[in-house]
Amino acid sequence: AQRRARRRAFGRTARHAAVPLAAAALLYAAAARLPIAPGARDVVPAALFGLVAAGLAFAARAHRATFALAVAAVLAGGAAGQRARAGGLLVRARSFYGAYTVRASATYHHLQHGNTLHGAQDTRPAYRRVPLTYYHAGGPLGALFARVPRLAEGAAPRRVGVVGLGTGSLACWGRSGERWTFYEVDPLMARLARDPRLFTYLRDCPPRSTVVLGDARLRLAGAPQAAYDLLVLDAFSSDAIPTHLLTREALALDVARLAPDGVLAVHVSNRYLDLVPVVARLAGELGLAAAVGRDVSGASRRHPFLTSSAWVALARTPAALGTLPAAPGWRALPATRNGPAWSDDYTNVLAAVRWR
């Protein structure tokens, strides 16, 4: 009888211990399996794991000790999974513009600004010059540099300006003998991108790269007319976007800084805002030819640091865009004059929110 009582007591203890252990394992798996820049397809299965873990904890509510342990296990499992997903911490710093974290994952270093991935680099010598994340060769930017006549292989050295530095990944699309100018508002971001212990794109990639600190619109106002063959606006992927860079007056300033056959490339990837209609409206306002490109390579499903992106290319004439609208994932973007265009006097971020 005593042996049976001991077996029953052991069974009860094992069941009570199994609930928090199972909840912790599920939450760890849910957090650890997410890629660095998760999409909707990644979030759904992770959320299901989390719901099952929460259900296990809730089912144990009748036993206070087990319930308390299960809740603690859910929190601990999620935190441990996040740490395993993010990799080893290299730098954590904060500026007026937000919190930055640089982590190491296997052979990669990656930069997070809040919860937005702002760049990554493979630190192996053979791969240090390969642009990753939104800028990989199989994505829309690869087609832009291959299909636009002024940018394609064999063209004369290009003059390139980039608004938004990140890790400096875009520099690896440059060639020897070219001058690239990066406009960056945050001195801390510039320090991180230039620190060779973290990222070496600016040091290792072919063009001579200059970083200009300060608000890009004010700095561009001081640049000469027709200064660039390509101007990249890469400042809209974070949670909060600088709307003053995406108004009629701002784009008119940008276009004035382009050569006659130059191209303005606007990175419109954003989890919360659909900026393509905003840019299409501005194209109609300024009489520009436009094309929109989305990543159809599927690379983001195969590699944790190749991320999908969306871009809009603008030029004074369709000829300046070349065959870009016919490239995979790209299409001509009809300019529209429906509704008010964003201006220095009017912006409507709510209208651009992705509600579903």
Side-chain angles (χ1 to χ4, degrees), residues 9-49:
F10 178 78
R12 284 195 300 271
T13 302
R15 286 195 298 272
H16 290 317
V19 171
L21 287 174
L26 284 166
L27 254 296
Y28 179 88
R33 73 179 303 277
L34 281 171
I36 298 300
R41 293 181 179 178
D42 306 305
V43 171
V44 170
L48 290 176
F49 273 60

Side-chain angles (χ1 to χ4, degrees), residues 246-249 274-286 336-352:
L246 204 56
T247 65
R248 177 178 57 233
E249 294 83 359
D274 182 7
L275 297 174
V276 174
V278 175
V279 180
R281 180 65 184 88
L282 292 170
E285 187 79 6
L286 299 174
T336 176
R337 298 187 70 87
N338 295 329
W342 284 16
S343 70
D344 288 348
D345 298 319
Y346 169 85
T347 57
N348 187 354
V349 174
L350 280 178

Side-chain angles (χ1 to χ4, degrees), residues 199-210:
F199 304 102
T200 61
Y201 284 123
L202 295 178
R203 184 194 70 185
D204 294 340
C205 294
R208 183 177 177 183
S209 297
T210 301

Side-chain angles (χ1 to χ4, degrees), residues 182-201:
F182 289 86
Y183 295 90
E184 175 55 51
V185 71
D186 192 348
L188 177 56
M189 180 76 85
R191 288 199 297 271
L192 295 175
R194 286 168 162 162
D195 188 337
R197 297 168 298 178
L198 305 176
F199 304 102
T200 61
Y201 284 123

Side-chain angles (χ1 to χ4, degrees), residues 179-316:
R179 291 185 64 90
W180 285 47
T181 303
F182 289 86
Y183 295 90
E184 175 55 51
V185 71
D186 192 348
L188 177 56
M189 180 76 85
R191 288 199 297 271
L192 295 175
R194 286 168 162 162
D195 188 337
R197 297 168 298 178
L198 305 176
F199 304 102
T200 61
Y201 284 123
L202 295 178
R203 184 194 70 185
D204 294 340
C205 294
R208 183 177 177 183
S209 297
T210 301
V211 178
V212 177
L213 293 175
D215 181 84
R217 183 168 169 181
L218 296 177
R219 293 297 191 177
L220 280 168
Q225 300 277 325
Y228 297 115
D229 301 302
L230 171 66
L231 184 58
V232 180
L233 299 186
D234 187 19
F236 306 111
S237 57
S238 297
D239 300 347
I241 65 170
T243 56
H244 73 293
L245 298 180
L246 204 56
T247 65
R248 177 178 57 233
E249 294 83 359
L251 256 64
L253 171 69
D254 297 336
V255 172
R257 298 305 177 267
L258 291 176
D261 57 351
V263 171
L264 177 65
V266 186
H267 186 192
V268 293
S269 303
N270 193 286
R271 279 194 292 265
Y272 309 108
L273 303 175
D274 182 7
L275 297 174
V276 174
V278 175
V279 180
R281 180 65 184 88
L282 292 170
E285 187 79 6
L286 299 174
L288 302 174
V292 58
R294 301 184 187 278
D295 196 329
V296 295
S297 67
S300 62
R301 296 192 294 272
R302 301 188 297 270
H303 193 293
F305 294 109
L306 298 183
T307 46
S308 297
S309 62
W311 295 78
V312 175
L314 303 168
R316 291 186 178 91

